Amino acid sequence: GPLWQRRLLDVQLAELPAWLGTRDLSPQGLLGGVQKAWNSYYNKYINVKRGGPAGLSMLLAGYCLLSYSWNYQHISKISFLVSF
C-alpha cells in the first residue's frame, strides 16, 4: 500500500525518513496517536469478552514500576538512613 497508510513495523529502514514526513507531528496529531494507542491497548487487553485479569494486572504492574522509578532516589536515601 501507499507509504502513508503503513504502520511503523511495516516500513523498511530506507523508507523511514519519507514515512516520518507523512506523519502529523503537531500536538493535536500526537494526541490522536496516543489516543489510538490507548484504544488499541484497551480493546486488546482489557475490553475482551473472555479475558482474564491479565490486561488490568499489566496496567497495574506498569504503574507500580513507573511509580517506583519516579521515587527511586527518595527510597534509596531513606533505606540508607535506616541502615545506620
Side-chain angles (χ1 to χ4, degrees):
L3 188 61
W4 61 272
Q5 288 182 343
R6 293 190 206 164
R7 298 181 319 161
L8 177 60
L9 295 175
D10 298 332
V11 175
Q12 295 179 356
L13 191 57
E15 299 172 332
L16 188 60
W19 181 81
L20 284 173
T22 63
R23 301 290 103 188
D24 183 13
L25 298 177
S26 68
Q28 190 173 16
L30 292 174
L31 182 62
V34 169
Q35 286 176 339
K36 184 177 177 183
W38 170 254
N39 287 336
S40 173
Y41 170 82
Y42 184 81
N43 288 328
K44 185 174 182 180
Y45 293 110
I46 297 175
N47 190 23
V48 292
K49 291 182 181 178
R50 289 181 294 185
L56 195 55
S57 63
M58 189 185 313
L59 188 65
L60 183 61
Y63 172 75
C64 290
L65 286 173
L66 187 63
S67 176
Y68 179 78
S69 67
W70 282 338
N71 294 316
Y72 178 74
Q73 289 180 345
H74 178 70
I75 293 170
S76 64
K77 288 178 185 177
I78 290 175
S79 64
F80 177 75
L81 294 174
V82 171
S83 65
F84 284 109

